[in-house]
Amino acid sequence: MKIVVLGSGTIGSLYGAFLSTVNDNEVILVGRNPHVSAIHSKGLQIRGIMGEHTFHLDAVESATEIVDADLILLTTKTYDTIPAIKTAKHLIDKGAYVMLIQNGLGTEERVAEELHTTKVLRATTCMGALRTEPGIVTATGCGLTELGSRYPENYDYVMKMTDMFKKCGFEVSASKNIEGVVWTKTLVNCGINPVGALTGFTNGEVYKNPQLRGLVIQLVEEAVKIVKALGIELTTEDPVRYALGTAKATGDNINSMLQDIQAGKRTEIDSITGEIIRLGKELGIETPSNESVYALIKAIESKYLEDSDVMVDIKPLEVKELVDSVTTS
Ligand code: PAF
């Protein structure tokens, strides 16, 4: 099988590397320099808890030059999904499947709509990885990859992919309720990620601090109201306990949103908290705590991003009179 990994950063490189070890798979990584040129000169080196390996894989900077593929594994940040998948349109038009391994909500529908295909699979991952240097990825956590598709006609293919990922050594399960899987993960992310990102705390430090723990609970409880209104069945009976349990279990982790802020990169706040706020508005459900953390993360992003637009309509606080009285007194 010919597999193209679009967005070969840490997670994409990790999956691509191990997928190349089975079924005569040919894997092409599509990434950025200097990662791509380091892979050309020294191979892709994997370190950490999955052992030390060097993989000699093809790596390119754009999918436009690739002629054919059976599967496109898309592991970009959520905001890069559509620009990235458009570069592989010719491969999808020829029949390739797309599998999105990402955080956040709504990307499968957007890809299906944009590229007029329902050959779209979705996965959530609890794998953790860091890019130590260009060409080197360190696996820091080995967790479950859950796979499914919102399009039932793909279920046989989901099972085939589940077997293939298992053969590579990943812990994988297939789900017929991928929406529930994605929402369950999103609730964890909407609770932990902004709180860790705003305080600079590890997940364990967030968990141990009673005020921050309270904020995580509030954020998740607001989002659960939306899940209930949408009639989505979560994969846990107690999402608050699950989010706190994840913070405790991944105590040493610097969550991905905090990593983005530390690296001066755009965060995934829009596809996590932003989507929750947007859906809340559609459904008439208030999400004040989520609105507050959203505004704070956007404010931090605006210090280093030229185009950190506020994508959802959050209510600015009514401070004009107060500001006027302070400035005139
Ligand atoms: O985004 C992340 O960092 C992870 O999904 C999680 C589970 C919050 C652990 O840090």
Side-chain angles (χ1 to χ4, degrees):
M1 173 179 277
K2 193 160 171 185
I3 303 170
V4 171
V5 184
L6 265 188
S8 297
T10 52
I11 290 291
S13 299
L14 196 64
Y15 278 105
F18 286 97
L19 284 169
S20 74
T21 61
V22 297
N23 295 4
D24 294 326
N25 284 345
E26 182 192 341
V27 172
I28 306 179
L29 302 177
V30 182
R32 294 202 173 111
N33 268 326
H35 192 51
V36 165
S37 48
I39 294 170
H40 282 158
S41 54
K42 293 191 223 131
L44 170 65
Q45 297 177 53
I46 302 288
R47 295 181 182 163
I49 59 169
M50 294 185 82
E52 300 229 343
H53 315 266
T54 301
F55 295 89
H56 294 284
L57 304 177
D58 201 358
V60 294
E61 282 186 85
S62 168
T64 51
E65 55 200 89
I66 300 169
V67 179
D68 51 26
D70 300 297
L71 173 67
I72 294 160
L73 206 68
L74 189 140
T75 54
T76 62
K77 291 283 184 185
T78 45
Y79 47 80
D80 279 334
T81 305
I82 297 301
I85 203 67
K86 278 183 176 169
T87 66
K89 185 177 179 313
H90 60 295
L91 304 173
I92 292 157
D93 288 346
K94 284 190 195 167
Y97 279 86
V98 184
M99 185 193 297
L100 309 169
I101 308 187
Q102 298 175 307
N103 277 339
L105 298 166
T107 47
E108 326 64 301
E109 299 94 301
R110 270 175 225 140
V111 166
E113 206 177 295
E114 183 72 36
L115 297 186
H116 311 291
T117 178
T118 51
K119 286 179 156 182
V120 183
L121 274 53
R122 172 69 201 255
T124 59
T125 181
C126 291
M127 297 293 297
L130 293 171
R131 189 152 71 212
T132 331
E133 290 170 38
I136 306 179
V137 169
T138 303
T140 53
C142 252
L144 183 65
T145 304
E146 288 186 86
L147 217 64
S149 176
R150 56 170 53 235
Y151 308 102
E153 64 269 29
N154 295 331
Y155 203 66
D156 285 348
Y157 196 75
V158 167
M159 294 312 294
K160 197 172 148 192
M161 291 300 101
T162 306
D163 285 345
M164 186 172 81
F165 276 62
K166 270 189 194 152
K167 267 198 202 166
C168 306
F170 295 109
E171 188 196 342
V172 195
S173 76
S175 174
K176 284 193 169 163
N177 173 22
I178 195 67
E179 237 189 325
V181 168
V182 169
W183 265 102
T184 305
K185 177 86 196 298
T186 302
L187 293 182
V188 170
N189 292 129
C190 97
I192 301 175
N193 293 30
V195 178
L198 288 166
T199 53
F201 281 12
T202 62
N203 295 350
E205 287 166 340
V206 169
Y207 175 75
K208 282 191 198 132
N209 181 298
Q211 283 74 33
L212 298 182
R213 212 162 50 215
L215 180 54
V216 172
I217 294 172
Q218 249 172 300
L219 293 166
V220 176
E221 280 179 345
E222 282 177 14
V224 168
K225 289 187 196 152
I226 293 163
V227 172
K228 287 200 175 133
L230 292 171
I232 286 161
E233 197 189 320
L234 294 172
T235 57
T236 171
E237 299 222 322
D238 189 342
V240 167
R241 185 179 283 268
Y242 183 63
L244 291 175
T246 306
K248 191 177 174 195
T250 58
D252 291 336
N253 270 26
I254 291 179
N255 82 61
S256 53
M257 198 172 284
L258 177 53
Q259 286 187 42
D260 288 338
I261 285 180
Q262 288 174 340
K265 282 166 55 178
R266 184 183 300 282
T267 70
E268 294 186 302
I269 193 79
D270 278 299
S271 58
I272 300 171
T273 313
E275 276 296 296
I276 287 164
I277 298 169
R278 190 185 63 75
L279 288 165
K281 288 193 186 298
E282 263 179 39
L283 296 162
I285 296 168
E286 303 228 314
T287 55
S289 306
N290 279 282
E291 288 198 17
S292 301
V293 297
Y294 179 86
L296 291 166
I297 295 286
K298 280 289 173 183
I300 295 175
E301 275 187 359
S302 72
K303 282 169 75 178
Y304 56 79
L305 290 180
E306 273 176 17
D307 57 345
S308 169
D309 298 334
V310 173
M311 311 287 265
V312 289
D313 172 28
I314 48 172
K315 222 190 289 162
L317 299 175
E318 300 292 334
V319 292
K320 190 177 177 314
E321 274 173 35
L322 174 66
V323 172
D324 287 348
S325 70
V326 171
T327 47
T328 52
S329 62

